[in-house]
Amino acid sequence: MNENIKSANPLGTQKESKLLVKFAIPCIISMLVTALYNIVDQIFIGQGIGINGNAATNITFPLSTTCTAISLLLGIGSATNVSLKLGAKEEEEAANYAGCGICLMTIFGLALFAFTSILLTPMLKFFGATVEVLPFAQEYTRIVAIGFPFLIANTGMSKLILADGSPRYSMISMLIGAIVNTILDPIFIFTLDMGMRGAALATILGQIVSFCISLRYMFHFKTIRLRRRCFRIRGNNFANIMRLGASACFNQIAMTVVQIVMNNVLSHYGASSVYGSNIPLACAGIITKVNMIFMSFVIGISQGIQPVIGFNYGAKKYNRVKKTYLLALATATFLSLIAFACFQLFPRQIIRVFGEGSELYYQFSERYFRIYMFFTLINGIQPVTANFFNSIGKSQLGIFMSLTRQILFLLPLIVIFPIFMGIDGVMYAGPIADIAAAVVCGVFTIKELRELTRLNSQQTV
């Protein structure tokens, strides 16, 4: 690769809005696919099995977010390092980070499968499974766990493919797996009468197909060449992958922790309310996964700007870094307004897609949508900002931003508020955490944007 080719990298020259579309859309589709794996199962399980089946998928949801956390830790961590090294024109070191990341994805995926298989029942009880829901959750998770290594490796490799400048390939890989899952779900659940086992089997077959497509690309990188010596876990590479992937990972871990606590809180306080335990568990699970569709757009945008910001920051093109961030933030905010309108105006219509229920079931879901999701309109700020700091190498700030909403604010509130307000306390904790996180992110972002302006001014002088 000669110097002219390297200097003409479109990440450093192409218009920011065009790059955002080019890289964000595949990331959005990739995140949507992850959400659809859960939502498609939820829809068919709700139609074929009912409230207990829906509650079971909510109980197992922390394992899904754990897979995403690990894949983002290793995928974004290695991809960010690849982007920074490519921006600094260090192709060999970029290849070492890619190879190290792939090795780590394999090890972590197998470890999570083994851990889940050994501790399945106590883990599901810890996640909040009631006596009625536990058998459904066990049946589903035993099979889904087999797909964990494939899911982690595929999602992680998709970030490397993106950093290599092939967003379309990354998108196709994830999309084909989702299509396979969607086709097989009704066949296994209804035609073959396999119930929860059928939904789980359809999920892992889709993940395996996506994995095979992504694996093929690992031998055809455009900007780097993977050799056998690249597939080593070097201490320095390992530390930098963990450092730059921690922000996205901690955000998912925070979601997992909050989900586990929320399941237990909903079950406990729901039992002493008119709704009972299972209605809140089922409704909250559905609404969380519906919100994943919206968050897929926002997180996809935040991940899409990673190679653009990382490359340009490494190349010291600070004005392009600032423009890309502000454009991403404006786009995420616009999508947040659309989601806010849907959640406030059509809660019953949305919940009906996932199966029928009693009037109490619909009453709870409507109140949960309208109260808990009230400040959806500002929910684009935190993920975009967290990944912005991560992309410029300021991982500590990125980690802090990723933890603001879930851990710093939401987790304490969903524990404290129900003590005084009962199950309604969970609902009101959401919007308060949203606005507090947005304010904190805004303060740090303004300071960083001023610094970028100063650095750019020094260069022009």
Side-chain angles (χ1 to χ4, degrees):
M1 186 181 293
N2 61 47
E3 194 69 25
N4 290 331
I5 293 175
K6 287 190 280 186
S7 63
N9 193 314
L11 289 172
T13 58
Q14 206 168 75
K15 191 175 181 181
E16 292 86 352
S17 57
K18 188 173 182 179
L19 287 170
L20 179 62
V21 172
K22 180 180 178 181
F23 283 89
I25 289 179
C27 283
I28 289 169
I29 292 176
S30 175
M31 292 302 299
L32 280 172
V33 167
T34 303
L36 284 173
Y37 274 116
N38 292 288
I39 289 172
V40 168
D41 281 355
Q42 187 98 46
I43 291 173
F44 287 116
I45 287 170
Q47 298 288 345
I49 299 169
I51 289 178
N52 284 339
N54 275 331
T57 59
N58 185 32
I59 292 299
T60 61
F61 188 61
L63 288 171
S64 176
T65 53
T66 299
C67 282
T68 304
I70 294 172
S71 61
L72 294 182
L73 170 69
L74 304 176
I76 289 182
S78 53
T80 301
N81 279 290
V82 168
S83 296
L84 290 169
K85 293 303 177 183
L86 288 176
K89 300 178 183 179
E90 299 176 16
E91 286 80 7
E92 186 173 346
E93 191 61 23
N96 289 336
Y97 275 109
C100 181
I102 293 169
C103 289
L104 291 171
M105 293 168 203
T106 304
I107 294 169
F108 276 65
L110 293 172
L112 182 62
F113 162 67
F115 184 79
T116 303
S117 299
I118 293 169
L119 299 175
L120 178 62
T121 299
M123 186 183 298
L124 293 175
K125 289 180 178 178
F126 177 70
F127 291 168
T130 62
V131 174
E132 298 86 355
V133 170
L134 182 61
F136 295 93
Q138 288 172 321
E139 187 177 24
Y140 183 76
T141 310
R142 281 194 185 98
I143 299 174
V144 168
I146 298 171
F148 288 169
F150 300 101
L151 175 60
I152 289 171
N154 178 57
T155 306
M157 287 190 295
S158 72
K159 307 308 173 191
L160 290 172
I161 295 171
L162 191 70
D164 191 51
S166 298
R168 185 176 297 177
Y169 193 99
S170 173
M171 174 183 69
I172 290 172
S173 166
M174 300 293 287
L175 197 56
I176 290 176
I179 292 171
V180 170
N181 179 43
T182 304
I183 293 172
L184 294 180
D185 252 333
I187 295 174
F188 289 167
I189 294 174
F190 300 111
T191 306
L192 300 180
D193 195 26
M194 296 176 68
M196 298 294 288
R197 289 182 294 111
L201 186 60
T203 297
I204 65 169
L205 289 176
Q207 291 165 352
I208 291 171
V209 170
S210 287
F211 166 78
C212 292
I213 296 171
S214 293
L215 183 63
R216 178 184 176 276
Y217 189 93
M218 297 299 104
F219 303 97
H220 300 88
F221 276 104
K222 295 189 300 184
T223 57
I224 59 175
R225 183 180 176 186
L226 287 179
R227 298 178 175 86
R228 182 176 296 179
R229 65 173 180 268
C230 297
F231 295 95
R232 297 176 184 172
I233 302 176
R234 300 172 176 86
N236 185 55
N237 291 356
F238 176 80
N240 285 332
I241 287 173
M242 294 295 159
R243 181 173 61 88
L244 293 183
S247 172
C249 171
F250 284 176
N251 191 44
Q252 293 293 320
I253 290 176
M255 289 173 60
T256 303
V257 172
V258 168
Q259 188 70 36
I260 293 169
V261 174
M262 187 175 290
N263 285 345
N264 283 280
V265 170
L266 288 170
S267 178
H268 176 75
Y269 288 97
S272 58
S273 72
V274 295
Y275 304 110
S277 294
N278 291 340
I279 284 178
L281 279 175
C283 291
I286 291 171
I287 292 167
T288 297
K289 290 172 184 176
V290 170
N291 188 46
M292 280 180 63
I293 297 178
F294 154 63
M295 290 305 296
S296 294
F297 285 92
V298 172
I299 295 173
I301 290 170
S302 74
Q303 292 179 2
I305 62 174
Q306 177 270 314
V308 183
I309 289 179
F311 182 92
N312 283 286
Y313 196 82
K316 299 183 179 180
K317 297 183 178 182
Y318 302 115
N319 197 44
R320 287 177 62 81
V321 172
K322 181 178 176 180
K323 285 182 179 179
T324 303
Y325 167 74
L326 291 175
L327 183 61
L329 188 63
T331 306
T333 301
F334 174 74
L335 293 172
S336 299
L337 290 170
I338 296 174
F340 168 77
C342 292
F343 295 162
Q344 294 299 313
L345 297 175
F346 311 112
R348 183 171 290 226
Q349 290 86 341
I350 294 172
I351 208 75
R352 273 183 172 161
V353 174
F354 297 87
E356 296 296 325
S358 64
E359 185 58 30
L360 278 176
Y361 175 78
Y362 290 122
Q363 286 178 9
F364 182 86
S365 62
E366 286 180 338
R367 295 191 70 237
Y368 198 97
F369 253 128
R370 288 183 172 136
I371 299 173
Y372 188 82
M373 308 300 296
F374 185 78
F375 275 117
T376 297
L377 69 168
I378 58 173
N379 274 357
I381 297 173
Q382 183 254 351
V384 172
T385 301
N387 210 41
F388 162 68
F389 281 110
N390 185 61
S391 298
I392 62 176
K394 297 189 176 182
S395 57
Q396 290 182 337
L397 271 175
I399 292 169
F400 174 71
M401 296 298 161
S402 69
L403 296 179
T404 50
R405 180 186 184 271
Q406 303 287 344
I407 298 298
L408 194 61
F409 300 118
L410 184 58
L411 187 60
L413 292 177
I414 61 174
V415 173
I416 296 169
F417 277 17
I419 296 174
F420 306 100
M421 304 171 66
I423 200 165
D424 284 359
V426 176
M427 303 183 196
Y428 287 100
I432 294 174
D434 291 338
I435 196 167
V439 170
V440 171
C441 289
V443 170
F444 282 93
T445 303
I446 291 171
K447 181 180 178 181
E448 186 62 36
L449 292 178
R450 286 174 178 168
E451 177 65 13
L452 289 175
T453 301
R454 185 187 68 80
L455 291 172
N456 188 65
S457 298
Q458 287 180 345
Q459 287 186 325
T460 54
V461 172

